[in-house]
Amino acid sequence: MLFSHLKDVTGGQVYLTEDIDITHFSVDTRTLLGNNGEVFIAIEGKRDGHDYVRAAIDKGVRNFIVSKELELKGVNQLIVKDTVLSFQKIATNHRNLFAIPVIGITGSNGKTTVKEWLSTILSQGRYVVKSPKSYNSQIGVPLSIMELRQQHEIGVFEAGISKVGEMTNLQNIIKPTFGIFTNLGEAHDDGFDSMEQKLNEKLNLFSDSEKVICNNESLYYDQIQKRLGSKLITWGSKQANYSVSNDSGIINVSGRKFETAFDSSTQLENLTHCIVSALELGLSPEEIQNGLNLVEGVPMRLELKKGINGCYILDDTYNNDEAGLRVAIDYLESHRQNEKRTLILSDILHSAKSDKELYKTINQIIVGRGFSRLIGVGTRISSNANCFSIPSNFYDSTDDLLNQMPEFNDEMVLVKGARNFELERVVQRIEEKSHGTILEVNFEALHHNLTQYQSLLNGKTQLMVMVKANAYGAGLLEVANFMQHQQVDMLGVAYVDEAIQLRKNGISIPIMIMNPYIESFDQFERYDLQAEIFSITHFKRMLRDTVRRPGIHLKIDTGMHRLGFKPNELDDLITLLEANRDVKVEGIFTHFSSAEQTEEDEFTIEQAELFEAAYDRLSHVLGYNPLKHACNSAGIVRWPQYHFDMVRLGIGLHGFDPAESLKLRYPGQLKTVISQIQHLDKGATVGYSRKGLITRKSRIAILPIGYEDGYSRIFGNGNASVSVGGNLCHTVGNVCMDMIMVDVTDTNAKEGDEVTVFGSNPTIEDLAKISSTMPYEILTNVSSRVKRIFVSE
């Protein structure tokens, strides 16, 4: 489509410099390559996309859809009233060009899993286009639909909504001929008056569908049947179109038996949706089984892992297509610990483009996004080596690559492969080795929590994110890079060493050091850091040790009585400020001691009044207004009148709302594995000092985690539990330095099984209560020797 044709589709006003054939749309300048055919859509939201048009132009983009008249020269503009609505019209127009079967998937949970698994099954002999990852929103769906090409034979798209009216828009864009309804749960309840209203809104997706797959034993099935009637194709254990039963790794669907390694009820339900849908779409049982074999045991997420020789690995070895590659590269943008980038890429087996056209496009993408090396795996990518313009190595198979493994040093390595190439073996070779205990950090949960707090701020209040104490145990470099990518305004750390580490690993946004050691001021100029100054002695030492003064934040003690200038010390501080006009005061701040406690509200108000009086005196002397900040996580929620110029988000980012009013997610799960299972008789004892007395014939699992990893000795002797296969199992005996023992007698646990130490059950708060402490301590106690893995669903 030519850019000029967008006028006819949207009804907007076009200003042309040169009419260009459109190849790609983006709503995020960070994903742009600067190609002639790219279009940047300026979305008005918490951050106005129009503010980033200049950045897009600097990248080389020449086509824009905007809702504000901007004085731009040498570019094409489509001016519309609503850029989101106009983009949806463009996607609807594009969808109408295709008469292929299109599957629409909705529900509260499982949409992305069903979409990915079903796409894998359908790809056995068919060209499939699908939503990248979980692109199911008002913007994600049109971005997905724009991936449709003439060579595609079937489309699989998911749709998610958070309020009334949204699904009608998505139905008009997707126009599914075939539907799958997964289930109805509590996700996004806030946007609806009742579950019945939410159900009816979701079912709008299928208003023009010919068939809709549904489990007739799911909640609200009666309402679904009443709404969809003869469209429904049901499955269940009785009175369904497809009778389904599960037994020891076999899913029996109306007499057809399918093997699977999955055993949880949720996984089996998602697989059954896929099997029934594939049967309805005409696939043979053999084709379906071949597809099922490819989805066995595969994590449906991106995983960022530490690698050998200072590397980071982004593991995306589930599937491989052009759209998925773009998503993975976009994700990599939020992690810039190392500037050097390598892509390990297998053959792309199912594409609507010719191999030559496909790999030329891939080359354009990776060159534009700063990759310095390509490692290709497979005969098809190898035979198209001349399509790539960066240094490249090619191997016909994964075995060949493993046998001739090149070196990796201080680089970001994206591993993207089709399932049958088993590139997870390559990941295992180059990832950093550790024992079986890991802290899994979910970046989507971090992002969810961040946006919860951002939604409470007006457009002018800045946000500092605290990443001290190894980002509350989650991982300093990884969380800081992710926050920088999310465009927070500033980071806060406790000590200079933390800040220097950030600067050396790609962090360029302002960093404030909350407790700068008095001997460290000579480092501030070198690394462009800002210092908290809390005493006259501190101020004078900073003056003595620096030539070009660092930006400083003056801490006012209004009642916390930790660090800070007391009100009676302001005269001496003012004298110093007047004598040193070259010192730039970036901020003036205080810390509320009890912002979350309603019984201390009077004290919080007193603190605020003292602080405002001190701020007014100091800013008057300075002749300008530095950033004014006071609120921590609890203050952001409970004291909007004191948001001032900036707020400081700490523990709230990690899922703990001190004010207990937000719906936050826990991003961290501490996991380990069963090293061994001991079979013990009644009367045996376990562990040091024989504290674990066996009172029945028992199976005792040994786990490789102990107090050196941060699992406190107080959790031993049955005081705490871990989750094994969804079953809570009590500790037995004393916690050792590197091991604990738990009772798995009443479970089917076996050696090598995964165990959750904390996550959804038990939670960090559960462990905090047992040890009479706060969640902060449980998080920050997780040892540095515990490997961190960073995931995005």
Side-chain angles (χ1 to χ4, degrees), residues 105 111-112 115 131 133-136 141 156-160 174:
I105 305 171
K111 296 185 293 294
T112 301
K115 179 258 301 180
S131 311
K133 296 299 176 183
S134 55
Y135 278 29
N136 59 32
V141 166
V156 187
F157 302 100
E158 59 177 293
I174 299 173

Side-chain angles (χ1 to χ4, degrees), residues 687-729:
Y688 285 119
S689 303
R690 303 186 67 194
K691 291 293 186 181
L693 176 63
I694 301 301
T695 58
R696 59 173 178 165
K697 191 171 184 177
S698 301
R699 299 169 69 238
I700 305 299
I702 292 82
L703 313 181
I705 181 174
Y707 55 79
E708 173 64 19
D709 302 294
Y711 197 74
S712 172
R713 281 177 58 86
I714 200 170
F715 298 140
N717 298 303
N719 290 324
S721 301
V722 299
S723 178
V724 183
N727 302 292
L728 286 179
C729 300

Side-chain angles (χ1 to χ4, degrees), residues 277-466:
S277 299
L279 289 169
E280 281 292 317
L281 289 164
L283 273 72
S284 69
E286 292 73 24
E287 288 177 302
I288 296 172
Q289 185 63 62
N290 289 337
L292 290 173
N293 293 340
L294 295 178
V295 303
E296 282 189 349
V298 177
M300 295 274 298
R301 60 194 183 185
L302 293 162
E303 295 187 341
L304 184 70
K305 305 172 179 179
K306 285 188 177 180
I308 59 174
N309 303 326
C311 293
Y312 279 86
I313 306 160
L314 183 56
D315 181 357
D316 192 15
T317 53
Y318 174 67
N319 59 30
N320 202 17
D321 56 34
E322 182 183 335
L325 177 61
R326 288 180 184 271
V327 171
I329 294 174
D330 291 348
Y331 181 81
L332 196 64
E333 287 295 319
S334 62
H335 304 284
R336 304 195 67 90
Q337 291 91 316
N338 299 316
E339 287 302 314
K340 183 181 176 183
R341 294 181 169 194
T342 292
L343 171 63
I344 301 177
L345 181 70
S346 81
D347 286 348
I348 295 179
L349 301 178
H350 303 287
S351 173
K353 298 177 179 178
S354 69
D355 280 356
K356 188 172 184 179
E357 180 187 6
L358 170 67
Y359 291 118
K360 281 188 174 180
T361 301
I362 298 301
N363 179 65
Q364 188 179 47
I365 293 170
I366 62 179
V367 170
R369 301 300 284 274
F371 282 85
S372 54
R373 179 170 58 154
L374 169 71
I375 296 173
V377 183
T379 55
R380 291 169 66 172
I381 192 172
S382 298
S383 62
N384 286 275
N386 60 356
C387 293
F388 296 97
S389 60
I390 62 174
S392 304
N393 302 96
F394 296 94
Y395 304 87
D396 285 345
S397 69
T398 302
D399 284 336
D400 289 344
L401 170 56
L402 290 170
N403 290 332
Q404 306 170 57
M405 185 71 82
E407 290 187 359
F408 295 88
N409 292 282
D410 298 316
E411 54 195 295
M412 305 295 294
V413 183
L414 170 58
V415 185
K416 192 82 174 75
R419 186 71 199 102
N420 55 330
F421 280 89
E422 298 180 336
L423 288 185
E424 63 270 17
R425 293 193 290 149
V426 177
V427 173
Q428 291 167 4
R429 176 74 68 85
I430 62 177
E431 71 176 304
E432 184 180 72
K433 300 301 183 287
S434 67
H435 62 54
T437 301
I438 64 167
L439 179 65
E440 185 180 280
V441 181
N442 189 305
F443 278 120
E444 287 188 341
L446 286 176
H447 181 259
H448 168 83
N449 297 340
L450 176 68
T451 56
Q452 287 277 296
Y453 283 96
Q454 286 176 324
S455 69
L456 302 177
L457 307 179
N458 63 45
K460 296 180 180 178
T461 301
Q462 295 185 31
L463 179 65
M464 179 193 298
V465 172
M466 307 306 300

Side-chain angles (χ1 to χ4, degrees), residues 6 139 151 162 204-205 235 266 310 415 530 603 673 697 771:
L6 296 180
I139 296 172
Q151 297 91 333
S162 57
N204 284 336
L205 178 63
W235 64 266
T266 299
V415 185
Q530 298 181 21
F603 186 74
V673 295
K697 191 171 184 177
S771 53

